[in-house]
Amino acid sequence: MDEEKLDIEKTLAYFTLDEKTRMLSGDGLWHTFGAGEMPRVRMSDGPNGLRMTDDENLSAVPATCYPAPSMLACSWDPALLYSVGAGIGKEATAMGVNLLLAPAVNIKRHPLGGRNFEYYSEDPLLAGELGKAFISGVQSTGVGACVKHFAANNQETRRMYSDSVIDMRALREIYLKPFEIALEAAPEAVMCAYNKLCGEYCSQNEFLLTTVLRDEWGFDGAVISDWGAVRDRSRALAAGLDLAMPDSRGLFEQNINAALADGSITEQTIDRSVRRILRLTDNVYLEPYGDYDADENDKLAYNAAAACIVLLKNDNGFLPLTRDMRVTVCGGLADNAPIQGGGSSHVTALKSPSPLDAFGKRGIEITYCRGYSSDAKQNDRLLREAQDGAAASDAVIVYVGAPAPQEGIDRTTLDLPPEQDRLITELTAAGHRVIAVLCGAGPVRMPWINRVRAVVYAGLNGQNGALAAVDALYGRINPRGKLAETFPLDLSDAGDDFGKEQTIYRESIFVGYRYYDKINRDVLFPFGHGLSFSEISYDTMTVKRIGDAEFDVTVTLTNKSARDAYEIVQLYVADRTGRVMCAQKQLAGYMKVFIEGQTSTVATVRIKRRAFEFFNVENNAFEVADGEYKIIAAASAADVRLTATVKVNGEFSGAQQYPAVYVCPIRSKITDADFEQLLGAPIEKPQPRPQRGEYTLDCCITDIQHTFAGKIAKRAVMRRADGAGEPNSPERAAFIASALNTPLSAVYAMSGGAMTANQAKGVMEIANGKLFKGLKLVLKKNGR
């Protein structure tokens, strides 16, 4: 294509109606359809590195593996997110990828969320700002970014059927807010989520895709579907979804043509979406060009990992270790720690050194004992070996963690494998000085927390995460990361409104630290927590008014130690007006500050109007309650250092009523009636699953598993699962969950030709009791 901008209207006029209809779905798994002389846009996943494939069979191309988003967020550093986005973008341009399917800015509502490793935070401001920076970095290279999954995508259980039931205040203030902020970077595309929102699939939700996204926020880019998310193509088109992915192999075109024939959509509706697809193509399409510097990206991956490691505990300055100490390293994960999660974001890393490799690279002599195994018969012997190895050691480093998370399944527990807890418990009981290095994603229970000397959260930290963790243990780097999510004490604290086909968000706006603050519940580690080898004091805070609801807050900090350090200054706002239901405090701004040893510095953070806003459902608008607020400077959500009181001039001077239970909104005590008051409507009963004679291509194998056809299909899935991972492995479980709970229409579309449309329809007909009709379709040779 020429460098000159495409004449959209002139180009649109060249296409026939059939060509325009065809352009509304993908070509194969990863491309847009190039009608006429229009090129095809190539898409790839990539929140922590480019998931590039060299063909439609998902043959992987190696790429730099950066820390997972769950770890990148612990940096609290938009500049770093920009650099990582640009690093991925440079690899994308070299490999001919035009649109990166990232970032994902969904809220971490529940610690068991199976895709939390791809998401940044439980806080909408932090998630939105980091997503915005990542988008800007990617698009600085000419590659487009696609922010996802819009919206309320917070669980993997029945993810293509689940319904997120959310009141309007929570939806606007928590779940839509990170998208609104990220859109300030003008991403080329937005991807809709699989799930329903209050009863309507996000792929055909006009409120989301048109009323909010386009009419209110002014987004003028393309809206694309998650892969297999579209159910009714014509309804989705009318609602504002432009591009359905992947190639439906004819199904979507049939649906649109039928809708044109009955008048439910018009050619003008088709033209609207084709214009956006043409604009997307014009903005992002480039042939592969240039090359990327793998060494430079490797250094960036290390620097990112170093910025993300969180020192959770360090009793009496036990860390850093010194090289003359006798150290024993225990744990199977020391030999094979996960560096990322599994699923659509999984990168074929250019390298993947283990923690043991990292000790060797730094020339540190250690004694290694495996210590535990998933084979219970070996654990007594391995434990004795670990005790013997630790006997003459000054410190014992134990690598622990849950199995790598997998897209498609939620976690089932916050517990570590029991053999890991046992190893730490036995070592500390014997008096050994234990350091726990936590691998894997997100919160876990730590029943031994009071007995270990230190805890380092290494997480899913990319291809150089193991090296960065060793450098943190030995003081080569001064830890600077802080948690972007709360680590609760126990799973019961997080509530059980999760992982259901209809999930009711009873807690409303009280998500993450907002919830634990409001009910005055202790946590294992609070949001924003992270220690340093340096002692940082918060000395003074001054507040300068910029507007009616805008302030510049300046905090003076002193590094009382000789070591240079970073501190993440967190500013929270506490509403003291008493006019509306509100959190005890909420993040209003933050800044990562470098402080040389034995010096002081200042951090000035602007608190914008959005920090004081609430969504007034009656007026369908964000407003500010007039009155008194407290501004809080903190080292974490639970570590308040300085406060100041300000008067905010807001337009809302009344008061709103809300159910009394929300004064202390313990989830288990919030009834349906309480929640319905916030929702403003009765909770609609979920639609019953279809029965025999009602099955359509929107059904999945789970829906029909009790039928003859379903049993055969399920057996086929289980046979295929044997090649997806070891028995009882998360990889195998994710494959099974995905295969059994994906609509037949999407299975057919994404099968790469392994299943034809007639075969999918045949399975459906057999399940409906029409055996001969179904067999005839299954055995039919053609039929896309």
Side-chain angles (χ1 to χ4, degrees):
M1 293 178 62
D2 295 333
E3 291 185 3
E4 297 179 2
K5 299 301 289 182
L6 184 72
D7 186 327
I8 300 294
E9 294 305 318
K10 186 176 181 180
T11 304
L12 182 67
Y14 287 145
F15 298 127
T16 66
L17 178 58
D18 285 344
E19 287 176 320
K20 290 186 291 187
T21 300
R22 180 64 187 86
M23 290 174 69
L24 299 178
S25 62
D27 186 2
L29 285 175
W30 299 112
H31 291 86
T32 61
F33 182 78
E37 296 183 359
M38 290 299 296
R40 303 188 307 162
V41 168
R42 174 60 157 92
M43 294 170 267
S44 285
D45 292 298
N48 57 282
L50 191 66
R51 182 181 175 252
M52 175 64 181
T53 57
D54 61 9
D55 53 39
E56 299 292 0
N57 296 315
L58 304 184
S59 298
V61 176
T64 306
C65 182
Y66 295 94
S70 59
M71 288 305 296
L72 285 172
C74 293
S75 74
W76 290 60
D77 189 348
L80 176 65
L81 271 290
Y82 181 97
S83 295
V84 170
I88 298 172
K90 290 173 184 176
E91 295 191 27
T93 60
M95 296 185 188
V97 170
N98 311 126
L99 185 66
L100 190 74
L101 305 174
V105 298
N106 296 91
I107 292 296
K108 297 184 182 185
R109 174 180 176 260
H110 195 283
L112 295 184
R115 219 161 173 181
N116 281 358
F117 70 95
E118 285 190 62
Y119 301 155
Y120 293 123
S121 180
E122 66 189 34
D123 182 83
L125 174 67
L126 184 58
E129 291 288 348
L130 295 178
K132 180 170 69 172
F134 183 90
I135 291 165
S136 296
V138 171
Q139 297 195 159
S140 72
T141 68
V143 174
C146 176
V147 63
K148 60 186 187 180
H149 307 90
F150 193 59
N153 181 246
N154 306 115
Q155 69 179 52
E156 291 297 275
T157 301
R158 292 280 290 179
R159 63 178 180 163
M160 289 189 167
Y161 297 90
S162 65
D163 186 9
S164 300
V165 182
I166 312 174
D167 71 278
M168 189 56 68
R169 269 200 66 186
L171 180 65
R172 293 285 196 160
E173 295 179 25
I174 305 294
Y175 298 98
L176 296 186
K177 182 60 69 174
F179 289 94
E180 184 179 7
I181 295 171
L183 285 175
E184 294 171 4
E188 291 291 346
V190 171
M191 180 189 291
C192 79
Y194 283 127
N195 53 278
K196 299 174 185 175
L197 175 62
C198 294
E200 180 64 274
Y201 284 109
C202 291
S203 62
Q204 55 198 45
N205 193 310
E206 185 175 6
F207 169 75
L208 275 182
L209 304 186
T210 296
T211 302
V212 174
L213 184 61
R214 298 197 184 279
D215 296 345
E216 295 185 17
W217 295 350
F219 178 69
D220 62 358
V223 176
I224 69 176
S225 75
D226 205 340
W227 269 231
V230 174
R231 303 308 179 83
D232 186 321
R233 184 63 186 102
S234 59
R235 284 187 62 189
L237 182 67
L241 188 130
D242 304 309
L243 177 64
M245 292 297 296
D247 184 351
S248 73
R249 299 165 68 205
L251 288 181
F252 289 160
E253 290 88 337
Q254 294 173 21
N255 179 272
I256 290 173
N257 288 334
L260 283 168
D262 67 22
S264 54
I265 63 169
T266 66
E267 188 171 353
Q268 286 71 33
T269 306
I270 293 173
D271 287 350
R272 180 183 65 184
S273 286
V274 172
R275 286 187 184 96
R276 293 169 184 157
I277 295 169
L278 291 174
R279 190 179 303 116
L280 172 70
T281 304
D282 191 37
N283 288 348
V284 306
Y285 179 77
L286 284 172
E287 294 287 346
Y289 76 92
D291 202 354
Y292 68 93
D293 189 326
D295 289 337
E296 282 300 310
N297 281 3
D298 187 55
K299 291 176 184 176
L300 177 58
Y302 172 83
N303 290 335
C308 298
I309 286 173
V310 185
L311 180 59
L312 294 175
K313 179 180 180 180
N314 191 23
D315 278 357
N316 301 315
F318 188 67
L319 294 179
L321 304 174
T322 58
R323 296 177 73 94
D324 61 347
M325 296 176 73
R326 295 167 299 176
V327 173
T328 295
V329 173
C330 295
L333 290 181
D335 192 34
N336 187 27
I339 65 172
Q340 60 181 320
S344 63
S345 68
H346 187 86
V347 178
T348 301
L350 288 168
K351 63 179 188 178
S352 181
S354 70
L356 292 181
D357 294 331
F359 285 106
K361 184 177 179 63
R362 291 298 187 228
I364 299 171
E365 292 187 6
I366 55 99
T367 298
Y368 173 61
C369 301
R370 182 175 174 83
Y372 58 75
S373 169
S374 58
D375 182 356
K377 296 178 181 179
Q378 299 184 38
N379 279 315
D380 288 343
R381 174 180 58 82
L382 293 174
L383 178 59
R384 287 194 299 271
E385 291 175 357
Q387 292 277 26
D388 292 343
S393 296
D394 299 308
V396 182
I397 303 171
V398 182
Y399 282 80
V400 295
Q406 302 292 319
E407 177 185 344
I409 55 170
D410 290 314
R411 296 170 64 185
T412 58
T413 179
L414 291 185
D415 292 333
L416 290 170
E419 60 271 13
Q420 297 183 14
D421 281 335
R422 181 191 177 198
L423 175 62
I424 292 180
T425 299
E426 295 287 347
L427 287 172
T428 54
H432 299 301
R433 297 184 291 182
V434 173
I435 303 153
V437 178
L438 180 62
C439 307
V444 295
R445 287 183 68 250
M446 302 181 193
W448 33 258
I449 187 63
N450 294 324
R451 298 191 291 274
V452 297
R453 296 297 183 92
V455 181
V456 173
Y457 179 37
L460 302 173
N461 223 1
Q463 66 185 44
N464 285 324
L467 187 62
V470 169
D471 286 347
L473 289 167
Y474 280 85
R476 190 180 177 108
I477 61 174
N478 195 351
R480 66 202 67 166
K482 298 212 174 193
L483 293 178
E485 61 186 306
T486 304
F487 279 33
L489 280 168
D490 193 82
L491 181 58
S492 61
D493 294 336
D496 62 358
D497 279 312
F498 173 78
K500 302 174 182 177
E501 188 135 352
Q502 183 188 58
T503 299
I504 300 173
Y505 290 44
R506 297 179 190 276
E507 72 283 352
S508 185
I509 61 173
F510 302 108
V511 178
Y513 68 89
R514 289 168 168 84
Y515 179 70
Y516 298 109
D517 274 359
K518 193 71 172 179
I519 67 171
N520 196 28
R521 184 68 52 84
D522 288 338
V523 298
L524 182 60
F525 294 110
F527 173 81
H529 171 75
L531 304 176
S532 165
F533 296 149
S534 302
E535 180 185 354
I536 309 296
S537 66
Y538 285 56
D539 303 328
T540 62
M541 179 172 71
T542 60
V543 180
K544 179 182 178 182
R545 182 181 295 275
I546 303 300
D548 286 342
E550 195 166 343
F551 301 87
D552 277 348
V553 180
T554 301
V555 179
T556 304
L557 305 107
T558 298
N559 182 352
K560 296 182 176 182
S561 308
R563 293 188 62 132
D564 296 345
Y566 287 86
E567 173 67 353
I568 298 167
V569 179
Q570 301 162 46
L571 297 180
Y572 296 83
V573 162
D575 184 336
R576 294 292 181 261
T577 68
R579 300 186 185 282
V580 297
M581 182 178 75
C582 62
Q584 298 292 95
K585 61 180 179 293
Q586 61 185 30
L587 188 67
Y590 58 92
M591 178 178 286
K592 192 167 194 172
V593 185
F594 176 72
I595 320 173
E596 292 184 0
Q598 303 292 350
T599 66
S600 297
T601 191
V602 296
T604 298
V605 181
R606 177 158 294 183
I607 296 182
K608 300 179 181 179
R609 174 187 166 90
R610 69 163 56 118
F612 302 97
E613 291 178 334
F614 75 100
F615 189 77
N616 189 335
V617 177
E618 293 179 2
N619 294 337
N620 195 41
F622 278 98
E623 296 179 355
V624 174
D626 185 75
E628 186 177 278
Y629 292 78
K630 184 181 287 186
I631 293 177
I632 300 166
S636 78
D639 186 2
V640 172
R641 300 295 182 91
L642 300 167
T643 64
T645 300
V646 296
K647 171 68 169 66
V648 174
N649 299 318
E651 62 271 26
F652 183 76
S653 57
Q656 290 192 336
Q657 300 297 317
Y658 53 90
V661 71
Y662 284 95
V663 172
C664 184
I666 298 173
R667 291 185 180 94
S668 60
K669 295 183 179 180
I670 300 171
T671 66
D672 285 355
D674 293 329
F675 180 73
E676 286 173 342
Q677 280 188 255
L678 289 184
L679 190 64
I683 300 170
E684 293 186 12
K685 292 183 179 179
Q687 293 183 348
R689 292 190 182 181
Q691 302 297 315
R692 182 173 178 176
E694 302 173 340
Y695 300 126
T696 69
L697 291 180
D698 280 342
C699 296
C700 61
I701 295 174
T702 295
D703 294 327
I704 63 172
Q705 62 184 338
H706 60 283
T707 69
F708 173 71
K711 290 175 182 178
I712 293 176
K714 187 173 182 178
R715 271 199 296 270
V717 168
M718 302 308 289
R719 284 196 299 271
R720 289 283 299 275
D722 292 337
E726 297 296 323
N728 302 319
S729 69
E731 294 85 357
R732 187 174 188 273
F735 173 84
I736 292 171
S738 179
L740 295 183
N741 290 287
T742 297
L744 289 172
S745 58
V747 171
Y748 148 70
M750 293 187 285
S751 69
M755 174 183 278
T756 69
N758 282 326
Q759 287 172 334
K761 293 174 183 176
V763 170
M764 176 193 70
E765 293 294 0
I766 294 171
N768 279 324
K770 301 176 181 178
L771 178 62
F772 293 110
K773 181 179 180 181
L775 286 174
K776 186 176 180 181
L777 286 167
V778 167
L779 297 173
K780 201 169 185 178
K781 292 183 179 181
N782 55 19
R784 292 168 39 117

